[in-house]
Each structure stands twice: as structure tokens, then as C-alpha cells.
């Protein structure tokens, strides 16, 4: 494997990662042909995703939406990209407790705090200022927007999305592919593939 890193997705998340001070980035892959031979924050967009199979650099998938990020990784797998090709990025100002684990392909941006015995899966994205406390489990492809706070023992399902400044009570489970709205306060378990919002959070469309 050659030195260097390719970002996958010429996105806002890619710009966030670059602004956080990641080093070694030599290019960006994106399927939008209009972006080819342009630059994002001074980094060239060198070609489509399929090019990953022809190059040897490590990859970091910078696609914000959880389901879209999962789809991109599945496509790269079909191109022959193995798990050992993926990098993990933890910003210098992020803090990860010594008993916590961060899975391959995950991104933790500035000011993120992960305390004790938390488990973050593969390709998890945690935006700035989030707090992940003891025994939390974030499944693959889940996303925490800026300022999310999780109490202890929270479980976040695969490809779930928690909006900015949402708070989740200790011991609560967020189902796979569910969405939690901005500023929501989640006090009870959220089933999979539902959208909840409000204080306290309820499924959208449910009467108060």
C-alpha cells in the first residue's frame, strides 16, 4: 500500500475533515464528472469511485448521510476494496478514553469526547462537540450531528442519524435507520426506521 490518503466524496464532510487538520490527503474521489479536475480546499478531485480499485492509498469515506455512506462502502466492496484499505480519523482535539474502541473508517471531529468502554462501529461519523459516555454502542454507519449528547449505555442502531444537539437518556436504544430531529430529548426506545422529534421526543405524526 502506498503512502497517502484518498477521501471518498467531495462533500461538506470532506471539507470538515480537511479543516480539522487531517494530513496525507493526496486526492478526492467523486462520481460527479463536473467535479473532476477541480479542487476542494486545495485537494484535487482525481476521478470516480471506481478508481479506488486501481490505486493503493488508504480511503476515508466522507459521505454525510448514513444510508448513502453505507451504499458507497458496499459499492467499493464490489470494486474489490477490502476493509484494510480504510483509514480512521480522530481529530487532535477529540478525546477517546483508553477503554473505548473506534472502528475502522470512522470519523471523529473536533471537540468530540468519548469516555469509558464505548464501542463505535465501522464508518461511524461523529460531528464536532458530541459527547459519548460510558458503555454506549454506536453501530456501523451511524451518524451524530454536532452537539449530540448520549447518556450511559445508549445503543444507536446501524445507519441511524441523530440531529444537532439531540440528547438521549441513559440506557435508551435508537433503532437502525431511524432519525432523531434537532434538539430532541429522547427518553424512551425508538423503533427502527422511524423519525422522532420534540421534547420529549415522539414519532412524527403522533399526537401529543
Amino acid at each position: 500500500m502506498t503512502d497517502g490518503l484518498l477521501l471518498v466524496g467531495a462533500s461538506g464532510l470532506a471539507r470538515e475533515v480537511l479543516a480539522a487538520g487531517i494530513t496525507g490527503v493526496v486526492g478526492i474521489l467523486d462520481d460527479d464528472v463536473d467535479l473532476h479536475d477541480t479542487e476542494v480546499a486545495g485537494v484535487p478531485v482525481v476521478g470516480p469511485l471506481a478508481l479506488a480499485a486501481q490505486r493503493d492509498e488508504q480511503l476515508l469515506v466522507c459521505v454525510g448521510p448514513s444510508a448513502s455512506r453505507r451504499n458507497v462502502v458496499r459499492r467499493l466492496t464490489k470494486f474489490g476494496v477490502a476493509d484494510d484499505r480504510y483509514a480512521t480519523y480522530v481529530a487532535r482535539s477529540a478525546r477517546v478514553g483508553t477503554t473505548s474502541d473506534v472502528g475502522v473508517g470512522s470519523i471523529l471531529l473536533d471537540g468530540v469526547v468519548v469516555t469509558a468502554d464505548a464501542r463505535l462501529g465501522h464508518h461511524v461519523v461523529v460531528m464536532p462537540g458530541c459527547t459519548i459516555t460510558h458503555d454506549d454502542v454506536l453501530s456501523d454507519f451511524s451518524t451524530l450531528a454536532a452537539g449530540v449528547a448520549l447518556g450511559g449505555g445508549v445503543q444507536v442502531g446501524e445507519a441511524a442519524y441523530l440531529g444537532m444537539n439531540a440528547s438521549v437518556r441513559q440506557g435508551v436504544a435508537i433503532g437502525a435507520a431511524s432519525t432523531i430531529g434537532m434538539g430532541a430529548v429522547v427518553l424512551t426506545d425508538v423503533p427502527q426506521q422511524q423519525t422522532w422529534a420534540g421534547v420529549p421526543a415522539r414519532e412524527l405524526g403522533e399526537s401529543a
Side-chain angles (χ1 to χ4, degrees), residues 112-170:
V112 169
V113 174
V114 182
T115 64
D117 301 305
R119 300 289 178 266
L120 280 65
H122 294 182
H123 304 285
V124 171
V125 169
V126 185
M127 298 297 282
C130 291
T131 302
I132 299 166
T133 57
H134 67 87
D135 302 304
D136 290 339
V137 177
L138 278 65
S139 298
D140 297 350
F141 306 105
S142 54
T143 304
L144 304 188
V148 169
L150 304 182
V154 168
Q155 298 185 40
V156 179
E158 180 174 319
Y161 176 87
L162 280 66
M164 288 187 296
N165 297 316
S167 299
V168 183
R169 184 179 182 177
Q170 67 270 17

Side-chain angles (χ1 to χ4, degrees), residues 67 92 102 203:
R92 284 177 292 180
V102 178
E203 185 181 6

Side-chain angles (χ1 to χ4, degrees), residues 12-74:
L13 180 55
R15 291 188 288 116
E16 296 257 10
V17 167
L18 291 166
I22 195 170
T23 59
V25 178
V26 298
I28 298 173
L29 302 179
D30 198 288
D31 283 341
D32 186 344
V33 295
D34 290 335
L35 295 177
H36 296 173
D37 299 320
T38 67
E39 293 186 349
V40 175
V43 177
V45 181
V46 296
L49 270 61
L51 192 60
Q54 304 170 31
R55 300 183 60 136
D56 294 324
E57 296 95 344
Q58 285 196 295
L59 305 169
L60 189 66
V61 178
C62 295
V63 175
S66 296
S68 298
R69 190 162 65 252
R70 180 171 58 187
N71 290 339
V72 164
V73 171
R74 287 174 175 173

